[in-house]
Amino acid sequence: MSFPFTPKPASGLISLLLILLLAGCSTTPKWPATDDSNLSLQTRTVLEDVPFYPQELYQCGPAALAMMLNSQGLNTNPDILRELVYIPGREGSLQVEMVAAARSHNMLVYILDGKLDSLLREVEAGNPVLVMQNLFYNWWPQWHFAVVMGFDPEKQTIILHTAPASVMKPAWKCLPIPGPGLITGPQ
């Protein structure tokens, strides 16, 4: 018996990659259901008073931290914070430096549980949330700090201050991981 089509190794690899990509999108969190306890999460919320600093190449940490600290009434900027959090050899900032820099400004960092509902409730309460996103894949991570400053339940999107501008992203693309979350109040 002969087959009219003989698969080539490259087409098998492409098929495998396509399956992996699609499988990566299959476990997205659900937007909170509309009921009496979540009614307030069904209204578009934007924290207009969160300042924006463009995130230059490898400078998402200092820019995101400046947005968070200034939203709490401090007066700083990414250039000042770069000295505290940026690690040239890593071309970025680590969570531990971000937490230490917030504490050096007499602020506390509250770690959220990584659930969408928790993130939305903080923003609804008027608190921007610092998130660390993986912009690529679990097996090839590209970590990035951004500030959640709103959400739109109708579009099921999160509104971020990130990169060179504010953007809206699907909620599953910017869930907070256990790490820097809410920076608030003098300690």
Side-chain angles (χ1 to χ4, degrees):
M1 176 184 235
S2 67
F3 293 99
F5 172 73
T6 305
K8 296 184 170 111
S11 66
L13 180 62
I14 291 170
S15 297
L16 178 63
L17 288 174
L18 183 60
I19 289 168
L20 288 173
L21 288 173
L22 292 175
C25 296
S26 64
T27 59
T28 60
K30 297 196 183 326
W31 198 266
T34 304
D35 60 26
D36 290 340
S37 66
N38 286 332
L39 199 55
S40 59
L41 296 181
Q42 301 307 318
T43 304
R44 187 176 198 271
T45 301
V46 179
L47 305 177
E48 300 287 348
D49 58 340
V50 177
F52 175 75
Y53 292 98
Q55 296 177 342
E56 298 171 13
L57 187 63
Y58 307 123
Q59 299 301 312
C60 64
L65 187 58
M67 292 181 239
M68 292 296 293
L69 293 176
N70 286 328
S71 75
Q72 297 299 315
L74 297 178
N75 184 17
T76 190
N77 65 60
D79 293 330
I80 293 170
L81 296 171
R82 184 176 296 126
E83 300 297 320
L84 295 174
V85 300
Y86 180 70
I87 301 171
R90 292 199 175 250
E91 295 183 325
S93 303
L94 298 177
Q95 292 179 19
V96 68
E97 277 82 17
M98 299 286 283
V99 172
R103 294 193 85 160
S104 74
H105 285 82
N106 293 322
M107 303 304 270
L108 291 175
V109 175
Y110 293 93
I111 298 174
L112 301 180
D113 61 10
K115 295 180 182 173
L116 179 60
D117 187 64
S118 301
L119 181 140
L120 297 177
R121 291 203 181 280
E122 286 298 332
V123 174
E124 174 200 28
N127 302 313
V129 178
L130 178 65
V131 293
M132 187 175 191
Q133 306 170 266
N134 180 358
L135 299 179
F136 286 122
Y137 307 104
N138 289 340
W139 48 272
W140 188 9
Q142 177 66 44
W143 298 108
H144 176 71
F145 288 105
V147 176
V148 177
M149 43 78 69
F151 59 88
D152 187 335
E154 184 177 314
K155 296 178 182 176
Q156 295 190 358
T157 55
I158 301 295
I159 303 167
L160 296 169
H161 275 340
T162 185
S166 291
V167 297
M168 292 177 69
K169 292 202 174 209
W172 59 271
K173 287 196 174 189
C174 60
L175 285 178
I177 63 167
L182 177 65
I183 296 177
T184 187
Q187 53 184 18

